[in-house]
Amino acid sequence: MITLMALTLAASSPAFADDSKSAITGTWRMTSLHVTDASGKQTEIPYSGQVIFSQGGTLSVQAMNPDAAAEPTPYTANGYEAYYGPVEVDEAKKTFAIMVESSLVRNLIGQRMERRFEVDDDQLTIKPADPKEGWRVTYERL
């Protein structure tokens, strides 16, 4: 019975495309956030935060803009961003997709968000799948 339950849980858990030893697995501290406007001008926003890719196949993000007067974005409320959910990582394509299970911004719940990533030693760069979104965030491994 216990073996059957373990196999059921394993089959139903989100997974990394290759295995849980993905280069992206771990805890990362944000080092920069760059936003590009419609004219192509790039601005660095003084965000801080972290992203965690668990071996169990979940992703959690927390980040904040220290500017209390920052305008809300599709991902933030009062300058703060927080969400998590199951994640699928495709190492070959250098992409991941999260199905948002819980979020500070409630209309993100249930959405599937796909991102591109690059890992270079202990640096992680994440970009949107759609370059028109115009942002790039970098992290360092903790």
Side-chain angles (χ1 to χ4, degrees):
M1 181 71 160
I2 292 173
T3 303
L4 180 59
M5 287 175 49
L7 289 172
T8 302
L9 284 173
S12 65
S13 296
F16 292 93
D18 296 323
D19 63 23
S20 64
K21 294 181 177 138
S22 168
I24 203 169
T25 301
T27 302
W28 303 83
R29 183 182 65 85
M30 185 183 291
T31 56
S32 69
L33 170 65
H34 290 88
V35 176
T36 306
D37 67 17
S39 70
K41 180 184 175 203
Q42 193 176 82
T43 304
E44 185 167 359
I45 310 292
Y47 261 61
S48 64
Q50 72 174 12
V51 62
I52 300 171
F53 291 87
S54 78
Q55 286 187 337
T58 60
L59 166 65
S60 66
V61 174
Q62 291 191 46
M64 73 168 268
N65 184 334
D67 179 0
E71 292 292 320
T73 73
Y75 305 106
T76 63
N78 298 318
Y80 198 80
E81 176 177 357
Y83 58 89
Y84 83 95
V87 66
E88 295 176 0
V89 178
D90 187 326
E91 287 282 342
K93 292 181 181 177
K94 299 294 183 199
T95 62
F96 67 86
I98 178 175
M99 180 60 72
V100 179
E101 186 174 307
S102 177
S103 176
L104 178 64
V105 176
R106 302 225 177 228
N107 65 355
L108 288 178
I109 297 169
Q111 288 191 33
R112 182 179 187 276
M113 297 190 299
E114 187 171 332
R115 306 289 186 239
R116 297 182 301 131
F117 74 91
E118 296 172 22
V119 176
D120 185 16
D121 291 326
D122 286 334
Q123 181 174 314
L124 168 64
T125 303
I126 298 176
K127 301 175 185 177
D130 181 358
K132 293 177 189 168
E133 287 188 46
W135 56 266
R136 180 185 83 232
V137 63
T138 59
Y139 297 87
E140 68 181 6
R141 189 184 299 276
L142 294 178

